[in-house]
């Protein structure tokens, strides 16, 4: 795979994606994007097919074909168990998705933090959730940028530097975000999701065939790397490590605002169901492909300096025809970009809607939108600076971000299912658990032998429940919130029944 082929392929991908993004700007079905709802939610008119592809591309980022493949290379079959736990956690969308959609439709919420601020009748809850999300999602964005940097550096043997890859991904993500907001992101995501799944699946089968087929692959693993096929594996995983990685990942669909914000966007509950079903099919295939990819790299190149180089090394090898290898490379690049631009838009909407608008009350929506657009490149540059540090395994960094974001989960669950939850409980749990996770990572990530991934949800739950029990809920906002859910869902069920 030559450097010239890579640059030409990237150029073609950008031209096609830009064309689709510009076309989405003109789409009459989703309306104009000159409002907060239009720019950041596509006016809540996204159909099931586009939503499914975009949700998949946003969720399955560079983490999968670079991170999960690297985790499989380093930790064996435990990586599959780790990802299956996340997959099981997507069931939370079936439980919470309709309720997100109902209150979003009723009250016009743009962000999950705005929703929590309304439910608990506290602008400070909204601000705390927004700021905590920024703290933990900037490193997660950096993970995506680092994935692109490692990818381009690996497939070209260093001819394209890590920094060049990071800067390129940053520029593309900013550009897609600015063209038409979430609409251009979702439509380009659809292209990217198709590229991701088709190219990676095809090439994975080719690589396995090049290694002698599935039988030879697993026979070689059983002979040369038997620990990779057993639990706890070759040393990366222990029960405690596995628990610390999987607990935050189980709650990913709720705790990560760039994902939960998507629950406001479908045009109907039927579209949301289609989104969920499509995502589950996509996710299962992509998970299996990524794990097989990691195993293939372990068989073909057992002595790599870094596990995160498993995918780039395979793509640059003779096992993969250059034309197909470059398509997979573009698919991984596209996956990373789709996650970065979604995170940038979500954080920008939270900063403008839940921080700026609360600090400056009665500010116009037009002004909020302007501030949101100005925040996008700031977040991108922060992520770029963080990516340049090149810290740890991509998969581990991803979970570290989710360990912090899980601080929001008890307040989210309480918002819909515990009427006794209070603003003080929500605020203390978010701030306290976020600070606790940061301190743990700063001091070695272990307390009583357990990592932050275990402690985060425990500390947040104890704080939320404990403080809520000794404080009073705001009855009016709480009752208004629950009534809206009942009315909207009942109305929709009757409509579907006819």
């Amino acid at each position: 795979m030559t450097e010239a082929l890579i640059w030409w392929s990237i150029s073609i991908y950008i031209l096609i994606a830009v064309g689709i993004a510009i076309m989405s700007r003109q789409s009459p079905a989703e309306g104009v994007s000159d409002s907060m709802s239009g720019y950041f939610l596509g006016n809540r008119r996204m159909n099931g097919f586009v939503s499914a592809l975009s949700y998949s591309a946003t969720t399955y980022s560079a983490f999968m074909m670079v991170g999960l493949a690297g985790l499989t290379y380093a930790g064996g079959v435990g990586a599959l168990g780790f990802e299956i736990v996340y997959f099981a956690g997507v069931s939370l969308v079936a439980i919470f998705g309709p309720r997100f959609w109902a209150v979003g439709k009723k009250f016009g919420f743009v962000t999950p933090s705005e929703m929590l601020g309304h439910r608990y009748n506290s602008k400070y809850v909204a601000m705390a959730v927004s700021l905590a999300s920024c703290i933990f999602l900037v490193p997660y964005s950096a993970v995506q940028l680092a994935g692109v940097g490692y990818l381009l550096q690996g497939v070209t043997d260093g001819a394209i530097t890590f920094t060049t890859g990071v800067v390129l991904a940053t520029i593309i993500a900013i550009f897609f975000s600015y063209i038409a907001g979430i609409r251009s992101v979702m439509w380009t995501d659809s292209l990217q999701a198709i590229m991701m799944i088709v190219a990676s699946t095809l090439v994975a089968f080719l690589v396995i065939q090049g290694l002698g087929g599935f039988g030879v692959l697993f026979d070689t693993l059983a002979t040369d790397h038997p620990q990779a096929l057993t639990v706890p594996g070759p040393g990366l995983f222990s029960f405690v490590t596995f628990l610390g990685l999987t607990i935050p990942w189980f709650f990913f669909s709720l705790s990560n605002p760039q994902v939960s914000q998507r629950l406001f966007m479908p045009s109907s509950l039927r579209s949301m169901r289609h989104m969920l079903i499509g995502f589950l099919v996509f996710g299962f295939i992509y998970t299996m492909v990524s794990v097989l990819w990691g195993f293939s790299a372990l068989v073909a190149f057992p002595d790599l300096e870094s596990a995160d180089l498993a995918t780039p090394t395979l793509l640059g090898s003779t096992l993969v025809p250059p034309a197909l290898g470059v398509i997979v490379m573009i698919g991984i690049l596209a996956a990373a970009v789709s996650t970065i631009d979604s995170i940038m838009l979500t954080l920008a909407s939270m900063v403008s809607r839940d921080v700026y608008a609360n600090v400056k009350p009665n500010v116009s929506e037009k002004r909020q939108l302007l501030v949101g657009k100005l925040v996008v490149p700031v977040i991108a540059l922060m992520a770029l600076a963080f990516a340049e540090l090149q810290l740890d395994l991509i998969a581990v960094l991803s979970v570290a971000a989710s360990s912090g974001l899980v601080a929001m989960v008890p307040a989210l669950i309480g918002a819909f299912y515990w009427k006794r939850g209070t603003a003080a409980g929500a605020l203390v749990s978010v701030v306290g658990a976020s600070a606790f996770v940061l301190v743990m990572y700063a001091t070695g990530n272990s307390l009583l032998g357990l990592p932050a991934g275990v402690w985060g949800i425990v500390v947040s739950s104890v704080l939320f429940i404990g403080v809520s029990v000794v404080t009073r809920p705001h009855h009016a906002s709480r009752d208004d919130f629950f009534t809206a859910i009942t009315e909207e869902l009942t109305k929709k069920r009757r409509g579907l029944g006819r």
Side-chain angles (χ1 to χ4, degrees), residues 167-481:
V167 171
L168 176 67
T170 303
I171 293 171
I172 295 173
I174 293 173
F175 188 72
F176 285 168
S177 299
Y178 269 123
I179 292 178
I182 196 63
R183 286 185 305 164
S184 59
V185 168
M186 291 189 77
W187 279 99
T188 53
D189 277 357
S190 300
L191 164 69
Q192 291 164 174
I194 292 170
M195 289 177 59
M196 288 160 58
I197 197 72
V198 173
S200 60
T201 303
L202 175 61
V203 175
F205 279 111
L206 284 176
V207 168
I208 292 170
Q209 285 303 116
L211 293 172
F214 282 94
V216 173
L217 173 67
F218 284 99
D219 283 345
T220 305
L221 286 170
T223 302
D224 298 341
H225 310 280
Q227 287 187 308
L229 298 178
T230 61
V231 177
L236 178 65
F237 288 110
S238 64
F239 178 73
V240 170
T241 302
F242 185 81
L243 210 59
L245 290 173
T246 54
I247 288 176
W249 221 233
F250 179 82
F251 293 106
F252 185 94
S253 59
L254 286 183
S255 63
N256 281 247
Q258 80 278 11
V259 177
S260 60
Q261 189 179 44
R262 297 298 176 104
L263 303 178
F264 294 140
M265 298 180 193
S267 58
S268 65
L269 287 178
R270 180 172 295 165
S271 292
M272 180 174 287
R273 279 200 302 273
H274 293 164
M275 178 188 80
L276 181 57
I277 292 169
F279 169 78
L280 290 173
V281 172
F282 183 103
F284 178 77
I285 295 172
Y286 206 48
T287 295
M288 299 309 296
V289 167
S290 299
V291 170
L292 287 171
W293 195 256
F295 279 140
S296 298
L298 180 60
V299 168
F301 307 100
D303 300 313
L304 290 179
E305 182 181 343
S306 168
D308 284 334
L309 293 176
T311 289
T313 304
L314 266 183
L315 289 178
S317 73
T318 56
L319 290 167
V320 180
L324 289 177
V326 82
I327 292 173
V328 174
M329 183 208 72
I330 294 297
I332 298 170
L333 168 64
V337 168
S338 72
T339 299
I340 300 161
D341 51 26
S342 292
I343 291 174
M344 289 193 306
L345 284 173
T346 294
L347 293 183
S349 66
M350 295 172 85
V351 170
S352 61
R353 188 78 159 189
D354 305 313
V355 178
Y356 176 73
N358 280 323
V359 172
K360 284 183 160 270
N362 303 318
V363 68
S364 69
E365 184 149 311
K366 185 176 180 181
R367 185 73 175 178
Q368 290 179 43
L369 181 58
L370 174 62
V371 170
K373 290 181 177 181
L374 293 175
V375 168
V376 167
V378 175
I379 293 169
L381 292 174
M382 290 171 64
L384 189 154
F386 200 94
E388 282 295 307
L389 298 177
Q390 300 185 44
L391 300 174
D392 216 334
L393 279 171
I394 283 178
V396 176
L397 268 179
S398 299
V399 177
S402 290
S403 297
L405 291 170
V406 83
M408 275 68 90
V409 170
L412 270 169
I413 295 175
F416 292 106
Y417 288 103
W418 193 40
K419 292 185 177 182
R420 190 65 185 77
T422 68
L427 182 61
V428 171
S429 67
V430 170
V431 175
S434 296
F436 179 85
V437 169
L438 286 173
V439 170
M440 279 202 69
Y441 273 103
T443 57
N445 190 27
S446 181
L447 178 64
L448 301 179
L450 298 176
V454 176
W455 281 111
I457 190 68
V458 174
V459 171
S460 184
S461 298
V462 169
L463 290 174
F464 177 64
I465 294 170
V467 176
S468 291
V469 166
V470 298
T471 53
R472 291 185 177 183
H474 190 275
H475 295 286
S477 62
R478 179 197 66 186
D479 295 343
D480 193 28
F481 193 84

Side-chain angles (χ1 to χ4, degrees), residues 20-59:
I20 290 174
I22 292 173
M23 288 170 61
S24 75
R25 190 185 183 97
Q26 310 301 324
S27 172
E30 283 122 22
V32 295
S33 56
D34 56 358
S35 66
M36 289 290 286
S37 177
Y39 192 80
F40 292 110
L41 297 181
N43 280 321
R44 307 176 203 274
R45 295 181 184 177
M46 295 301 177
N47 65 51
F49 178 74
V50 172
S51 294
L53 290 175
S54 181
Y55 191 96
S56 299
T58 294
T59 302

Side-chain angles (χ1 to χ4, degrees), residues 44-116:
R44 307 176 203 274
R45 295 181 184 177
M46 295 301 177
N47 65 51
F49 178 74
V50 172
S51 294
L53 290 175
S54 181
Y55 191 96
S56 299
T58 294
T59 302
Y60 290 124
S61 54
F63 168 79
M64 293 296 285
M65 284 294 283
V66 178
L68 184 59
L71 200 63
T72 304
Y73 185 97
V77 74
L80 175 60
F82 159 73
E83 189 63 22
I84 291 298
V85 170
Y86 161 72
F87 206 59
V90 178
S91 60
L92 294 172
V93 174
I95 299 170
F96 289 89
R99 289 165 172 76
F100 266 81
W101 181 85
V103 293
K105 182 177 173 62
K106 175 69 175 180
F107 299 110
F109 297 140
V110 174
T111 68
S113 45
E114 181 187 12
M115 179 190 74
L116 289 176

